[in-house]
Amino acid sequence: MKINGKLFDRLQAMVQSSPVFPELMEYRGRGLSDQRYRWDCLWAINSHDRDAWFDEVYQFANDDHVDAALQKITGTQ
């Protein structure tokens, strides 16, 4: 996985504090995909913290790498 170390730890802390994070079963119950859930968790994070994180990550990674990190954090495929 390309996103690791402190950047992964920051993402994990932000996603786990996201208001969407505990709603995986609700998403599945409404027929929404796990990918939609992962990215909604990310976009529910306050924009200042999220944008600062993206500024660092997009210097060497892309959305596929971000999604791989989100999969690991959320335990989804």
Side-chain angles (χ1 to χ4, degrees):
M1 189 170 58
K2 199 163 190 172
I3 299 170
N4 52 36
K6 290 181 181 180
L7 286 171
F8 179 84
D9 293 343
R10 280 176 47 204
L11 177 63
Q12 185 172 30
M14 289 188 297
V15 167
Q16 289 177 342
S17 68
S18 167
V20 176
F21 187 69
E23 299 178 4
L24 176 58
M25 292 301 129
E26 181 181 326
Y27 267 64
R28 287 178 175 165
R30 294 186 333 203
L32 298 171
S33 71
D34 285 358
Q35 184 178 30
R36 167 72 185 264
Y37 163 76
R38 291 191 298 272
W39 284 87
D40 281 358
C41 282
L42 180 63
W43 286 103
I45 296 166
N46 105 29
S47 62
H48 175 62
D49 293 340
R50 184 186 64 235
D51 291 347
W53 184 84
F54 272 127
D55 287 345
E56 290 182 61
V57 167
Y58 281 149
Q59 292 179 31
F60 65 90
N62 61 37
D63 283 347
D64 292 333
H65 301 115
V66 173
D67 196 51
L70 290 171
Q71 286 178 32
K72 184 172 182 178
I73 292 166
T74 61
T76 60
Q77 292 286 318

